[in-house]
Amino acid sequence: MRGTDKALRFILDRFFCSETNLIYDFLIDGGNAWHHLPRPSDIEKNCPNPCGWGTGMEDCVLNGGSVLDGIVAEYNLTKNIKLKELSDKILKGMLLCATVSEDSGFVARGVSPFDKKSYYINSSRDQYTHWVYGAVRLFSSPLSDEAQKEDIKRVIVAIAEKCLRDVTPENDYNMLRADRKIGMVNKMWGDIQPHEYLRLPMFYAAAYFVSGDGKWKALADRYKFEALAETKPFEPHRHSTYVVLQLQYSLRLMYDLSEEEEYKKGCLEIMRSLSEYAEKKFDLCAERIQGLALDFKYKKWNEVDWYDPGVEIGGFRYLNPAQSEKEENKSFYPLREVGETACVAALCPERRVREDIPETLNRVADKVDYENHYTYAPLLLWCGDKLCMENLG
């Protein structure tokens, strides 16, 4: 078994909950990744924060979108229809997050396994980005059946409709929280960073692709040229790798769904530069990980000191246990970045990824002591391996 396949088995055995079909964030002991999550009563109070940051259920949609991408990549290589069993489960979890709220088009970060309906009210544009990218990949694959395509279409159109009603000057161009108030990390236009500009036209372009409704094409066209121009100053070395990956998702989807050759060329130019950057960073990340212990132990979310950024928005404090961000935690971001840089490098079309990268990914995956590792970071090693192998074809 390839090292990265062992990594996926670790994730499915310990982090994937069959009650919700979601992949949760971290372990605190020898059990699974969800028994220590906040109870529905905590979630109802948005404790410790409306995003669920640091609780262990903040990244379910990020994980699901990346897994769908990896599954489709593996299918494109192997034509193994048995992969549909896994993609069906992951899609169920993604659909749960996208339909659990009464606010149509809202995508929850995760859903409680204890009642299968409780969720934190503040999502993020990153969650929507992973949802849309992964779902479009599945929609375009033989792994999705007609009923699933219809479900995906319904959700992506609902996301686009939410953008249309929420992203207005009155809301400071934010996608609103599920309580219809402005929160954090959801601003889609205006005073945002270069890597964030393509998200809005990406969602509209995806809605046009799955529905054929020209209204969405017109909206994508309205924003996409300015968005691409605003993206060009992006400096990847100034950002975490997950930011670069999400930008690459946006660029790749806009490249795939656009018809204008000049626009595609503009997307490709940026993608190529990001891929070249990512390959260089991949080497640094893979070398750094060799000297690190990957056994940082997490604590239950309400048994750690909360980081207080001093922010109160819409009636809630955004307190954060922030265990993954702790300086002493060398298990999460350093390992995650090995996989993410490989993904970024492999996502660029018309460019062949370096052939040694999959071998290195598998070597890193084999290094992990899964009996004493507590994060979902190995998942990105598997995703990177599958995307690289698809790229190499």
Side-chain angles (χ1 to χ4, degrees):
M1 181 183 290
R2 290 170 67 84
T4 56
D5 290 331
K6 294 177 189 176
L8 179 64
R9 177 49 50 197
F10 167 68
I11 296 298
L12 295 179
D13 286 348
R14 306 287 298 281
F15 292 75
F16 177 78
C17 175
S18 60
E19 293 296 309
T20 56
N21 291 290
L22 295 174
I23 298 171
Y24 293 98
D25 297 356
F26 59 78
L27 308 168
I28 61 170
D29 52 28
N32 57 50
W34 58 92
H35 75 274
H36 55 80
L37 295 179
R39 307 301 297 189
S41 57
D42 298 311
I43 297 171
E44 184 179 11
K45 294 181 288 189
N46 287 286
C47 180
N49 59 75
C51 291
W53 285 332
T55 62
M57 56 181 291
E58 68 178 90
D59 281 349
C60 298
V61 171
L62 299 189
N63 295 336
S66 292
V67 171
L68 286 180
D69 192 22
I71 293 170
V72 172
E74 183 170 6
Y75 175 81
N76 289 342
L77 277 174
T78 66
K79 307 304 179 188
N80 181 4
I81 197 62
K82 292 183 179 179
L83 288 164
K84 181 170 170 52
E85 180 180 350
L86 179 57
S87 65
D88 285 353
K89 292 177 181 178
I90 299 298
L91 180 61
K92 283 182 181 179
M94 298 283 277
L95 290 170
L96 174 63
C97 289
T99 57
V100 69
S101 175
E102 294 183 0
D103 181 26
S104 178
F106 178 85
V107 174
R109 294 167 173 269
V111 177
S112 170
F114 304 122
D115 64 1
K116 296 181 281 296
K117 64 180 182 181
S118 295
Y119 63 94
Y120 285 95
I121 62 172
N122 197 146
S123 188
S124 75
R125 73 186 144 253
D126 298 350
Q127 308 292 326
Y128 289 96
T129 299
H130 277 250
W131 205 105
V132 170
Y133 185 80
V136 169
R137 277 276 270 173
L138 186 63
F139 183 94
S140 305
S141 166
L143 290 174
S144 63
D145 55 43
E146 290 306 313
Q148 291 171 324
K149 290 181 191 297
E150 189 62 31
D151 287 337
I152 291 170
K153 180 181 78 170
R154 187 160 44 246
V155 169
I156 291 180
V157 168
I159 290 172
E161 292 282 7
K162 180 173 175 60
C163 288
L164 190 56
R165 68 175 181 267
D166 286 5
V167 183
T168 64
E170 294 76 16
N171 294 328
D172 195 26
Y173 301 103
N174 280 269
M175 291 181 78
L176 299 179
R177 299 186 316 207
D179 63 353
R180 305 295 301 152
K181 294 182 180 180
I182 294 174
M184 294 185 71
V185 294
N186 276 301
K187 192 166 184 178
M188 303 296 294
W189 200 251
D191 182 20
I192 56 178
Q193 297 189 60
H195 69 274
E196 296 163 349
Y197 268 94
L198 278 168
R199 313 298 178 96
L200 185 60
M202 169 192 180
F203 299 162
Y204 287 142
Y208 172 61
F209 174 70
V210 298
S211 71
D213 187 340
K215 172 177 73 173
W216 304 121
K217 183 180 187 304
L219 282 163
D221 289 347
R222 178 193 300 178
Y223 290 101
K224 71 180 188 180
F225 295 98
E226 182 178 350
L228 188 61
E230 294 285 355
T231 301
K232 288 182 179 180
F234 178 72
E235 297 178 288
H237 62 279
R238 297 184 180 274
H239 297 272
S240 299
T241 309
Y242 69 82
V243 167
V244 185
L245 176 59
Q246 289 158 9
L247 174 55
Q248 197 80 316
Y249 279 157
S250 300
L251 287 161
R252 179 58 190 265
L253 196 61
M254 294 304 292
Y255 173 91
D256 287 343
L257 302 186
S258 295
E259 299 172 353
E260 302 93 341
E261 286 303 317
E262 193 62 27
Y263 191 83
K264 293 170 75 74
K265 181 180 178 182
C267 291
L268 184 61
E269 179 182 342
I270 302 174
M271 278 190 285
R272 188 179 296 276
S273 68
L274 295 182
S275 291
E276 292 170 353
Y277 162 82
E279 282 193 355
K280 294 176 182 177
K281 186 171 181 179
F282 173 83
D283 293 333
L284 296 175
C285 292
E287 180 179 355
R288 176 179 57 168
I289 205 73
Q290 298 303 316
L292 297 179
L294 303 176
D295 58 356
F296 177 86
K297 292 186 178 181
Y298 284 72
K299 297 179 181 179
K300 190 175 179 180
W301 64 276
N302 58 359
E303 295 177 355
V304 298
D305 294 332
W306 290 350
Y307 167 66
D308 183 357
V311 176
E312 182 173 335
I313 299 176
F316 294 106
R317 301 289 291 179
Y318 280 74
L319 304 172
N320 190 348
Q323 295 186 81
S324 291
E325 287 72 34
K326 288 183 179 296
E327 184 177 353
E328 63 266 30
N329 184 354
K330 307 299 183 183
S331 296
F332 183 55
Y333 281 110
L335 185 60
R336 173 174 154 176
E337 287 193 326
V338 178
E340 287 172 331
T341 49
C343 289
V344 173
L347 278 165
C348 181
E350 303 183 37
R351 180 185 184 276
R352 189 175 175 87
V353 75
R354 267 191 7 235
E355 294 186 4
D356 64 290
I357 291 180
E359 179 183 350
T360 302
L361 285 166
N362 281 276
R363 187 167 62 249
V364 170
D366 274 329
K367 176 186 184 298
V368 179
D369 175 6
Y370 294 107
E371 293 299 318
N372 296 287
H373 187 79
Y374 302 90
T375 85
Y376 72 78
L379 174 65
L380 279 303
L381 302 177
W382 178 83
C383 293
D385 183 34
K386 299 310 173 185
L387 293 182
C388 286
M389 295 302 292
E390 180 188 31
N391 175 290
L392 291 168

